[in-house]
Amino acid sequence: MAVSKSQVNASRKWEKENPHRTGYAKLRRTAFSFVNPKPGSKAEEHINANHADYVEDLKELQYEINKKLGEVKMNQTVKNLVAEKIDRHITTAYDGDVVIKKDSVDVKNGRIRFWDLGDVTSWIDLADINCTEEEAKELVKHCITEALFALSDKPVTTDFDVK
């Protein structure tokens, strides 16, 4: 089945507009091809010709993958601790009523900033928790949304947005 010129052009345009996704896909294919080459492929032929090196390289890859998964797990633990701090800061009880102070936490200048009475009282440097500003903003938004859901006695219907 032949691919039309317009389909090829559309694919090239998408690749050009999405360089990180395209690069990631190429890296992923390369890694999977190395670990599990297609039968009869050149990759399989090269691997068979260097079998002892291949086994050692797989062991080294396994070690690096396990190390990376440990880092990801640690990052999730740090993320959970930061979320708990955000939750504690945005949730306040006044005379038995719980209030969510959406504007008491923000993300700016490489920090998650905690506000009280118009002043920044503390912060977390994003570099210390290996987090981008976009990830931090999403975490703050998620914490506020979860806190609002926890207080709501009505189901979410339409036009619900946390800013």
Side-chain angles (χ1 to χ4, degrees):
M1 180 176 177
V3 178
S4 73
K5 188 173 181 177
S6 63
Q7 287 174 314
V8 170
N9 290 340
S11 292
R12 296 302 164 258
K13 180 182 177 200
W14 187 91
E15 290 167 357
K16 188 175 180 180
E17 291 172 356
N18 299 280
H20 294 301
R21 190 66 200 162
T22 302
Y24 176 82
K26 287 178 183 177
L27 286 170
R28 185 178 184 278
R29 280 192 306 273
T30 301
F32 277 91
S33 293
F34 182 77
V35 172
N36 194 17
K38 292 182 181 175
S41 68
K42 284 285 187 184
E44 183 184 51
E45 183 181 328
H46 298 315
I47 287 168
N48 288 340
N50 297 282
H51 191 264
D53 290 338
Y54 178 67
V55 171
E56 288 304 312
D57 288 338
L58 285 177
K59 288 177 185 177
E60 188 176 343
L61 280 171
Q62 183 176 31
Y63 170 79
E64 292 297 331
I65 289 169
N66 289 339
K67 189 168 87 173
K68 184 58 75 175
L69 287 172
E71 290 171 10
V72 170
K73 186 175 182 181
M74 176 58 77
N75 288 342
Q76 185 61 46
T77 300
V78 170
K79 182 178 177 181
N80 290 342
L81 292 171
V82 171
E84 286 177 18
K85 181 174 172 88
I86 293 168
D87 289 336
R88 284 192 309 271
H89 195 78
I90 63 173
T91 307
T92 305
Y94 293 110
D95 296 329
D97 292 329
V98 177
V99 177
I100 305 302
K101 301 182 296 181
K102 296 188 282 186
D103 59 351
S104 66
V105 179
D106 71 3
V107 178
K108 193 170 183 179
N109 300 327
R111 294 177 168 171
I112 298 174
R113 304 182 312 172
F114 299 91
W115 293 80
D116 200 13
L117 301 174
D119 291 320
V120 175
T121 56
S122 64
W123 61 84
I124 298 171
D125 286 318
L126 298 180
D128 291 343
I129 59 173
N130 194 25
C131 184
T132 66
E133 283 200 12
E134 197 56 44
E135 291 169 328
K137 287 176 183 176
E138 283 300 314
L139 180 60
V140 169
K141 182 178 177 180
H142 176 76
C143 290
I144 291 169
T145 302
E146 288 295 314
L148 291 170
F149 282 155
L151 291 179
S152 176
D153 59 350
K154 297 185 173 110
V156 177
T157 53
T158 60
D159 299 329
F160 182 82
D161 190 24
V162 175
K163 296 189 183 196

